[in-house]
Amino acid sequence: MDQPAWNRSEGRDHILPVHHPWSFKSVRKFMKKAIWLLPDMDSTGNWYKPGQVYLEKDLILPYVANLDLCDAKCLSSSRRTTLLFFRGRLKRNAGGKIRAKLVEELRGADGVSIEEGTAGEGGKEAAQSGMRKSIFCLNPAGDTPSSARLFDAIVSGCIPIIVSDELELPFEGILDYRKIALFVSSSDALQPGWLLSFLKSVSTAQIKEMQANLAKYARHFLYSHPAQPLGPEDLVWRMMAGKLVNIKLHTRRSQRVVKGSRSVCTCECRSPNVTSPGPLS
């Protein structure tokens, strides 16, 4: 923070990888004007304090998928006989408490496969096999709103059913997730019988269209070296380019504001019931 490069903008033109809810925890208050690369934002306040993270400043990155890509040949040969699949930890904290409630509602239902997750190669093989045999993959919140499971489902050609009310998604200024996923509120998902009735009402034509879109979108979530056009590394910089004007606005403004001038200048997405964090500039 003593470096001229930091002080010219108070860190606004610096990029910090904060890709774990506990990363930089002891120094966040000094770094909050920098651009943070995040797995999610969790506006509930469980992991980040108000004013530390928001979409106009920061960038959401995808997790690294744990499963192998189901390519065009794999997709064409896959027999998806399971309606809804979930494999993972069934009991989580914070927003993830919904998992236990969903399990109670769905376990034993026809066409539904719910399994407790395990680590290691055996766990990976079981998850990959289950996702490739399923039409829909359940993606509830965990300890945080996001999880790697979403990206596992995408590369497996399994339509994600997202039940995570506070979720923010990578590259949403470029990608339209409505083409590859279905979004369900927690309150709807927990109504007896609602979720399965909803999934059974999705037409075959819509399922085929979304599966075709999953095959097209998978490339956006596959990290590689060297980076590929329209891969996640490329999309990071495309999203970053869209932030440049705002960075320059706040940097130049901070350099010319004089004592006694209006100091509040913020552009932030937050829920109406969240207390204002105060000025960011």
Side-chain angles (χ1 to χ4, degrees), residues 39-68:
D40 56 45
M41 294 203 167
D42 187 21
S43 60
T44 63
N46 289 319
W47 299 104
Y48 305 108
K49 292 183 178 179
Q52 287 183 337
V53 296
Y54 47 99
L55 288 174
E56 284 74 15
K57 176 177 76 72
D58 304 311
L59 195 64
I60 305 294
L61 297 187
Y63 287 76
V64 176
N66 296 312
L67 307 184
D68 299 329

Side-chain angles (χ1 to χ4, degrees), residues 96-245:
K97 292 178 180 178
I98 192 175
R99 289 191 185 184
K101 298 176 181 178
L102 286 169
V103 169
E104 183 179 349
E105 165 65 19
L106 296 170
R107 193 189 289 279
D110 186 41
V112 175
S113 176
I114 294 179
E115 304 172 1
E116 179 74 43
T118 55
E121 283 300 312
K124 173 183 174 180
E125 291 174 6
Q128 183 160 289
S129 174
M131 287 190 170
R132 291 187 179 187
K133 292 177 181 177
S134 303
I135 300 171
F136 301 108
C137 283
L138 185 63
N139 288 268
D143 291 341
T144 63
S146 65
S147 76
R149 186 173 297 99
L150 169 60
F151 307 102
D152 289 343
I154 291 172
V155 302
S156 299
C158 187
I159 299 170
I161 306 302
I162 297 176
V163 187
S164 182
D165 298 345
E166 300 296 332
L167 179 66
E168 299 294 350
L169 294 162
F171 318 133
E172 201 163 6
I174 298 171
L175 307 177
D176 186 353
Y177 284 84
R178 296 172 299 172
K179 294 182 177 180
I180 61 170
L182 297 173
F183 295 84
V184 176
S185 70
S186 298
S187 58
D188 283 341
L190 293 176
Q191 292 183 38
W194 189 93
L195 184 57
L196 291 182
S197 295
F198 170 67
L199 296 182
K200 291 175 181 177
S201 72
V202 181
S203 68
T204 301
Q206 184 179 356
I207 289 171
K208 288 184 177 179
E209 181 180 1
M210 295 184 81
Q211 288 173 336
N213 288 335
L214 283 169
K216 297 174 184 176
Y217 271 51
R219 65 186 292 193
H220 303 314
F221 307 104
L222 297 173
Y223 292 95
S224 60
H225 181 73
Q228 298 299 309
L230 296 179
E233 302 90 348
D234 184 21
L235 295 190
V236 164
W237 293 112
R238 290 175 186 243
M239 290 288 293
M240 204 68 71
K243 297 181 182 295
L244 289 179
V245 171

Side-chain angles (χ1 to χ4, degrees), residues 8-21:
R8 71 187 174 205
S9 67
E10 297 180 287
R12 289 183 176 92
D13 56 1
H14 284 56
I15 302 169
L16 302 176
V18 190
H19 214 247
H20 188 282

